[in-house]
Structure formats: structure tokens, C-alpha cells
């Protein structure tokens, strides 16, 4: 089965072509970071308009790179949610129109299921069951995964997602959008131990997260330094390191608890924050101690992309999923409500 995947949930336009026998044939991505950076965050209306501009050229590019044409496509998968409604509607309407014109099914894909399954694109994919840490700008969740569509939510953030906390903290410190890479780059030059921030909700049982208090602690430290006349680059680096380490430690502690609670020893991390090297090293060390394994996608498939949507759509197609002709998207959509693929 040959599936065209379209991703337009936020500020990246992603297109990919996935074959159930040959794997990923081609993928292309256009990031709107430069467009939104001047505003310090994503402007939904601008994101939607840019998706309209980029979609068809990217589709043509992917088909040309793969050496395929529209007559060979068996289905069109698209991100149906969660995400920005206007952006989602661009991908959904484009997918439904092409599917209707080509006489093939359209398949709405859950954005976070796409992230969760992105490590399946690697040469050595994880085997079910496993615990997944979904960590991005909009979500921080721990999920038990027994198969495609067989998800049990174990814990999630009660306020800011980890990626959101990175972006907001960076903005408070006058750093550029997106904040995650900026914080990580500064942290590499930070002095360990100069600042120590709390590890939220790790002193109590449970698998939920909270990052808003950590963000406030970081802001308070930065303001005190500035009031004392110290807003040097090294101080920024030291604060960035302390913030990142607090996030990494919190996520690692909760992942350990989730593995112990489920009795599993395989962990998958997915989403934009899973590209953070400090987080990867911490989780790798923890899994080595537990004699388990950790899996993640290559960096370009950690952020939003069309390949993960094409792959997830292909699995849904093989399981018999189809959409009617209505253009439907969901800004909020619990992943555990998805149907079981029987995998």
C-alpha cells in the first residue's frame, strides 16, 4: 500500500510517501520558524496561510523524488488533530479533495499517535508492549502501549507541557523562538550547581507532571540576577543548565516510575523534546541500569513531519480504517479514544 501523508497541525508543513513493503520513499518539510520568530510564537492565521502556499509544491516534490505519480497512491493520510484548527483544516481539505479526485480513501490520523509511531520508521523499531513518553510543545504524557490503538494514559501534565515550558522560559530570558534549542545550546556552556531548581511533583506518588512552577522559579532567579546587575551570558547559560536539568530529571524520575508500575522495560520517547540530547542521555543511563531499552526517532522525525503521518495512516489503512467525505478536525482529541488496530 502506498500512502501519501500530510502534516499541518501547527507551524510545519510536512509531506511524505510511505510504502507498506518498501518503507519511506520520500519526505519533505517546510518549517515556518522564521515567519513566526518575529512574534515570539506561532500566529495561527499566518500558519494556516503558509500551509496553503506550501502544500502543493511539497506534494509535487515528494512524488518526483519517489518516482511515483498520483495513479499509484492507495490512500491519503492527514493530521486530523489535535492542533490549530485553521492549520488542520488546510491539510484535511487538501487530503479529502485529492482522495476524492483520485478515488482512494482518506484517513484522519491523530497527531500524537504519529509521534508515538515515528520510531517505527527506524531500522530497529521497538516491539510492543512498551511505555511511551510523548513530550512536545503541546503535550507531556506517559502512555502504556500494547499495540496500535491500544493505549492507556498513565500520566500527563496538569499545566504547561515540557516543550511549552522551554519556549516560555526562553522568552522570559529574552531568547529567540523556538526556545528549546536555545536553552539546550546555552546549557552546554552552563556551570553545574550554580542554580538548583525544583523537580516538580517528584516528591509525591503518581505519574502526572507540572512545569509551571519550575518556569516561575527560573524567572525569579533571572530577575534577581538582573536586579543585582548580573545579566551576563554566563549567567544565562547557568540558569539554562539548571532549568534543563530540572526538566530532564523530572521526566526521568517519572519514566522510571511508569516502567516499574507497568512491569515493562522498554521505553519509547517521541515528540520535539525527545531530540534533546541531555534527555536522551539521562533516559539511556536509566534504562541501562534497569537492563531495558530506550527507542527514539532520528532528530528530523522528532519534530512534526509528514513521514510519521504517512506511516500511521498506512497502519490504519491496513486495519480497514476509512473516513467519509466530511472534512473533520479536532483541536482536542484524547489518544486513548482511538480504535484498536488489532496490532
Amino acid at each position: 500500500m502506498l500512502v501519501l501523508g500530510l502534516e499541518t497541525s501547527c507551524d510545519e508543513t510536512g509531506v511524505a510517501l510511505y510504502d507498506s513493503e518498501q518503507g519511506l520513499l520520500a519526505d519533505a518539510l517546510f518549517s515556518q520558524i522564521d515567519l513566526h520568530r518575529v512574534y515570539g510564537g506561532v500566529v495561527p492565521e499566518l500558519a494556516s496561510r503558509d500551509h496553503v502556499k506550501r502544500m502543493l509544491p511539497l506534494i509535487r516534490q515528494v512524488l518526483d523524488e519517489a518516482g511515483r505519480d498520483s495513479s499509484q497512491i492507495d490512500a491519503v493520510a492527514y493530521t486530523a488533530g489535535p492542533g490549530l484548527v485553521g492549520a488542520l483544516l488546510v491539510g484535511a481539505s487538501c487530503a479529502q479533495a485529492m482522495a476524492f479526485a483520485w478515488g482512494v480513501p482518506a484517513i484522519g490520523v491523530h497527531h500524537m499517535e504519529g509521534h508515538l509511531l515515528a520510531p517505527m520508521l527506524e531500522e530497529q523499531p521497538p516491539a510492543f508492549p512498551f511505555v511511551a513518553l510523548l513530550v512536545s510543545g503541546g503535550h507531556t504524557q506517559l502512555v502504556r502501549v500494547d499495540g496500535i490503538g491500544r493505549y492507556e494514559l498513565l500520566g500527563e501534565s496538569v499545566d504547561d507541557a515540557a516543550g511549552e515550558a522551554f519556549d516560555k522560559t526562553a522568552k522570559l530570558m529574552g531568547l529567540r523562538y523556538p526556545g528549546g534549542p536555545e536553552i539546550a545550546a546555552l546549557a552546554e556552556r552552563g556551570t553545574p550547581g550554580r542554580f538548583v531548581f525544583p523537580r516538580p511533583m517528584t516528591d509525591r506518588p503518581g505519574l502526572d507532571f507540572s512545569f509551571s512552577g519550575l518556569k516561575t522559579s527560573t524567572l525569579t532567579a533571572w530577575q534577581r540576577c538582573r536586579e543585582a546587575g548580573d545579566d551576563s551570558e554566563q549567567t544565562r547559560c547557568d540558569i539554562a543548565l539548571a532549568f534543563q536539568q530540572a526538566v530532564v530529571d523530572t521526566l526521568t524520575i517519572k519514566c522510571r516510575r511508569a516502567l516499574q508500575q507497568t512491569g515493562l522495560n522498554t521505553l519509547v520517547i517521541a515528540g520535539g523534546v525527545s531530540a534533546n540530547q541531555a534527555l536522551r542521555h539521562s533516559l539511556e543511563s536509566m534504562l541501562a541500569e534497569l537492563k531495558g531499552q530506550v527507542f527514539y526517532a532520528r532528530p528530523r522525525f522528532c519534530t512534526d513531519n509528514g513521514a510519521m503521518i504517512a506511516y500511521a495512516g498506512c497502519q490504519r489503512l491496513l486495519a480497514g480504517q476509512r473516513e467519509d467525505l466530511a472534512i473533520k478536525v479536532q483541536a482536542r482529541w484524547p489518544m486513548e479514544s482511538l480504535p484498536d488496530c488489532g496490532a
Side-chain angles (χ1 to χ4, degrees):
M1 291 290 186
L2 188 63
V3 177
L4 179 68
L6 311 180
E7 157 60 22
T8 63
S9 66
C10 191
D11 61 340
E12 270 107 10
T13 311
V15 178
L17 202 58
Y18 182 85
D19 185 273
S20 58
E21 299 295 328
Q22 301 178 51
L24 184 64
L25 302 182
D27 71 284
L29 182 73
F30 183 86
S31 174
Q32 302 175 8
I33 286 177
D34 291 339
L35 175 66
H36 300 287
R37 178 169 280 153
V38 66
Y39 302 101
V42 177
V43 181
E45 178 62 22
L46 295 180
S48 301
R49 291 182 181 184
D50 205 64
H51 286 311
V52 173
K53 179 180 178 181
R54 308 292 176 182
M55 181 59 70
L56 292 181
L58 286 176
I59 292 172
R60 296 190 189 100
Q61 176 184 332
V62 165
L63 290 175
D64 288 345
E65 288 181 4
R68 301 290 194 275
D69 59 51
S70 59
S71 66
Q72 297 172 285
I73 292 176
D74 295 300
V76 183
Y78 62 94
T79 304
L84 301 175
V85 170
L88 291 169
L89 285 170
V90 175
S93 57
C94 184
Q96 288 284 11
M98 289 188 298
F100 179 76
W102 298 339
V104 299
I107 303 167
V109 171
H110 192 289
H111 180 71
M112 295 310 294
E113 181 174 63
H115 275 305
L116 187 152
L117 297 177
M120 299 295 183
L121 294 165
E122 303 304 316
E123 290 186 6
Q124 294 183 324
F128 302 116
F130 55 77
V131 170
L133 171 66
L134 303 179
V135 58
S136 67
H139 299 81
T140 301
Q141 298 178 325
L142 280 166
V143 182
R144 178 184 173 121
V145 182
D146 289 296
I148 298 176
R150 298 168 61 190
Y151 309 129
E152 178 189 355
L153 180 64
L154 302 174
E156 61 184 341
S157 179
V158 298
D159 43 53
D160 290 349
E164 183 181 9
F166 267 101
D167 287 341
K168 288 181 177 179
T169 298
K171 188 173 183 179
L172 292 171
M173 294 174 61
L175 303 177
R176 299 191 308 169
Y177 171 86
E182 296 288 317
I183 293 282
L186 289 178
E188 291 181 359
R189 295 180 279 125
T191 304
R194 181 182 172 191
F195 297 95
V196 178
F197 297 139
R199 277 56 174 161
M201 298 182 71
T202 58
D203 58 349
R204 67 190 74 174
L207 296 174
D208 287 335
F209 302 90
S210 172
F211 294 105
S212 62
L214 174 58
K215 180 183 63 182
T216 302
S217 296
T218 307
L219 174 61
T220 300
W222 173 241
Q223 288 176 332
R224 286 176 177 170
C225 288
R226 295 187 67 187
E227 290 168 0
D230 181 8
D231 59 354
S232 65
E233 183 72 3
Q234 187 59 52
T235 293
R236 288 177 189 265
C237 293
D238 296 344
I239 290 177
L241 175 60
F243 170 82
Q244 177 176 267
Q245 195 58 55
V247 173
V248 168
D249 287 351
T250 300
L251 293 173
T252 302
I253 290 168
K254 296 288 185 166
C255 285
R256 179 190 290 270
R257 285 185 189 174
L259 291 168
Q260 292 172 339
Q261 178 176 307
T262 59
L264 300 176
N265 67 348
T266 302
L267 178 71
V268 166
I269 55 171
V273 182
S274 69
N276 183 282
Q277 292 301 307
L279 176 60
R280 291 190 177 194
H281 293 157
S282 178
L283 292 175
E284 286 169 355
S285 296
M286 186 263 288
L287 265 298
E289 180 185 334
L290 297 178
K291 295 182 172 53
Q293 289 182 289
V294 60
F295 294 85
Y296 39 74
R298 70 198 82 167
R300 71 190 181 101
F301 292 152
C302 291
T303 55
D304 296 349
N305 64 87
M308 68 184 193
I309 302 304
Y311 177 83
C314 185
Q315 306 313 305
R316 291 282 170 186
L317 175 69
L318 293 173
Q321 180 175 322
R322 305 289 190 279
E323 306 293 340
D324 57 31
L325 293 176
I327 298 174
K328 297 177 290 187
V329 298
Q330 300 182 60
R332 298 181 181 277
W333 188 5
M335 195 172 67
E336 58 269 27
S337 68
L338 294 175
D340 186 347
C341 273

